[in-house]
Amino acid sequence: MQNCVQSTENAGTAGAPSAALTGETRKGRPFEPKTEAGENMKKELLKQYAQLVAGVGINVQKGQTVVVRCPVDCADFGRALCAACFELGAKDVVMEWRDDVCSREHWLHADDSVFDAMYPWDIEKNVQLGREGAGFISVSASDPENLRGVSTDRLRRWEAATGRDQKEFHRTMMANGFPWCVVSVPVLNWAKKVFPNDADDAAMEKLWEAIFSAIRVTEGGDAVEAWHAHCAYLEEMAGRLNALQLKQVRYKNALGTDVVVGLPDEHVWMAGADTAKSGVRFVANMPTEEIFSAPKRDAVDGVLAASKPLALNGNVIEGIRLTLEHGRIVGIHADTNEEVLRQAIETDEGAHYLGEIALVPVDSPIAQSGLLFYNTLFDENAACHFAFGRAYPACVPGGDDLPEEELVRRGINVVSTMHVDFMVGTEDLSIIGTTKDGREVTVFENGRFAL
């Protein structure tokens, strides 16, 4: 699951968490914005998208404060989100804007001391809003290589500082203390990275089309109905896995992944919607195609070979290969930007362990698009993936209410400030589960569910 914490995008501003693609939609026509009619359709789809995020993503309640973190290049969508939240009765909508250009200037030229601590007022603001149960919407849209060439030492220190200074906020978020949702719309540099051979306008149109399709927003369609049905399907599949209560799973493919992953006793597979402490249902990631749980912290052994590049801290990392022994990452390799990956894993001791195991079949709509998005929100929903760093407490029964010490005792890695997803799924991936009585169960065959 994509975490809403994207601290590098906000450093120097808020310093806080911001956190079916074939060209044919499931219902209605493909997105065609070139004509005036197409532009009007885009506005309607944008409004429908914003209403979906407000009404299903964070499920705005009357009298609730909502924080919208949005790039200035996505202002139209940010304004639509603001309007949609107020329409549902929000008490207030707090807009927090960011900008790739200013962010890069900050990372390159700010005084070195500012990367060692957050501003106190930003810390207090986030903690207070989290305590009040505010809803957080993060628009994840940026140039995947915006921070190329930035000091990796600055990146490392800022990750450590935000993890330390926002520990309470992070813990509350990961334990579903408030509703949050990560979504996305195009920005030009991102669109050009995905469609490098197209002119600017064409690249933007194609990325708009891909996102609308992934999010199940279609002309004449009912995105809310589509999302309720989709979440129900994902939860049904999670239920099948929960019924097995596997002791471990083994992943293997020709790319080089060969790993045995232990699972905690009474682990829980989750999918679709989550429930906040207030009882409100919300969808943390839109899109989402995954069914996920937490590995047992000290029971992962083998090699994980990434099947897709990872966009991390404004850099694209390719050819990731991690070696694990007794749960700990002991070998780190990447063909490009290895130092960025290494610094992320070395942020704290907990980041050396896995916090998420997620299942996504290769016939998911996003996988079938054939697109590489260079954005984890989408790419993680095209392939099975893991995350290093902090786990979601709800992956064991009652975990949201358990103290950290008890979660650690149960094998849940909750002692890291990091949560970074990376993809390992392929067309030939097999996953064989072993039950507590030693029976083998084929979970995945040729990259698809076999249950």
Side-chain angles (χ1 to χ4, degrees), residues 235-246 266-271 291-293 395 451:
E235 287 163 10
E236 177 189 348
M237 294 301 296
R240 295 184 190 181
L241 284 162
N242 284 325
L244 293 172
Q245 275 300 297
L246 298 170
E266 298 184 322
H267 61 275
V268 177
W269 291 92
M270 303 174 65
I291 298 163
F292 70 95
S293 190
C395 290
L451 295 176

Side-chain angles (χ1 to χ4, degrees), residues 61-386:
Q61 303 295 296
K62 292 186 183 300
Q64 183 181 29
T65 299
V66 178
V67 180
V68 178
R69 291 170 169 146
C70 184
V72 294
D73 289 342
C74 307
D76 285 348
F77 186 52
R79 292 165 185 149
L81 288 169
C82 179
C85 292
F86 276 125
E87 286 173 5
L88 291 172
K91 174 184 177 181
D92 192 15
V93 179
V94 179
M95 299 299 300
E96 295 185 353
W97 301 98
R98 65 177 186 271
D99 176 62
D100 270 357
V101 174
C102 292
S103 177
R104 182 169 177 80
E105 288 295 307
H106 168 82
W107 280 97
L108 289 173
H109 303 300
D111 187 86
D112 200 51
S113 63
V114 305
F115 299 101
D116 291 318
M118 288 178 60
Y119 293 119
W121 50 87
D122 283 329
I123 301 171
E124 181 57 30
K125 173 184 176 182
N126 294 326
V127 168
Q128 185 61 34
L129 286 167
R131 288 174 180 169
E132 293 175 1
F136 289 79
I137 301 172
S138 175
V139 181
S140 172
S142 62
D143 178 354
E145 298 183 287
N146 190 50
L147 301 187
R148 183 172 56 182
V150 165
S151 164
T152 56
D153 181 62
R154 287 189 167 196
L155 293 171
R156 178 191 59 78
R157 286 160 49 211
W158 181 248
E159 291 285 2
T162 55
R164 178 195 66 232
D165 295 344
Q166 296 204 107
K167 185 175 182 179
E168 179 180 342
F169 183 86
H170 291 168
R171 183 181 299 164
T172 304
M173 183 199 72
M174 297 289 275
N176 293 331
F178 50 79
W180 55 276
C181 183
V182 186
V183 296
S184 193
V185 292
V187 294
L188 181 57
N189 285 347
W190 176 27
K192 290 292 290 181
K193 182 69 176 178
V194 179
F195 301 104
N197 298 321
D198 289 285
D200 291 358
D201 288 348
M204 286 290 285
E205 288 174 14
K206 286 184 176 180
L207 190 52
W208 270 116
E209 179 181 335
I211 289 174
F212 280 141
S213 185
I215 211 70
R216 293 171 168 77
V217 169
T218 64
E219 184 185 16
D222 186 337
V224 172
E225 179 186 353
W227 267 90
H228 287 320
H230 178 54
C231 288
Y233 164 74
L234 292 176
E235 287 163 10
E236 177 189 348
M237 294 301 296
R240 295 184 190 181
L241 284 162
N242 284 325
L244 293 172
Q245 275 300 297
L246 298 170
K247 180 180 180 180
Q248 65 180 36
V249 289
R250 181 177 182 178
Y251 282 56
K252 195 169 184 178
N253 66 12
L255 189 62
T257 288
D258 190 351
V259 66
V260 175
V261 182
L263 297 169
D265 291 339
E266 298 184 322
H267 61 275
V268 177
W269 291 92
M270 303 174 65
D274 295 289
T275 302
K277 291 287 182 65
S278 62
V280 172
R281 296 285 281 172
F282 69 98
V283 180
N285 286 180
M286 289 183 144
T288 182
E289 303 287 341
E290 66 179 330
I291 298 163
F292 70 95
S293 190
K296 190 173 182 180
R297 187 177 188 270
D298 60 355
V300 184
D301 292 276
V303 175
L304 290 170
S307 57
K308 293 178 180 290
L310 170 65
L312 177 65
N313 291 340
N315 291 269
V316 176
I317 306 170
E318 298 176 299
I320 296 173
R321 190 178 181 91
L322 302 178
T323 303
L324 297 98
E325 295 179 1
H326 304 296
R328 194 177 192 276
I329 298 171
V330 296
I332 303 170
H333 169 81
D335 293 341
T336 63
N337 289 312
E338 181 179 301
E339 188 59 24
V340 175
L341 176 65
R342 187 176 298 277
Q343 294 277 24
I345 293 173
E346 292 179 353
T347 297
D348 54 44
E349 178 60 17
H352 288 78
Y353 294 82
L354 300 182
E356 181 181 331
I357 175 174
L359 305 178
V360 181
V362 294
D363 53 7
S364 78
I366 297 177
Q368 290 298 299
S369 75
L371 293 178
L372 177 61
F373 282 88
Y374 297 98
N375 181 314
T376 302
L377 178 62
F378 294 89
D379 290 334
E380 74 167 5
N381 285 299
C384 289
H385 56 274
F386 290 87

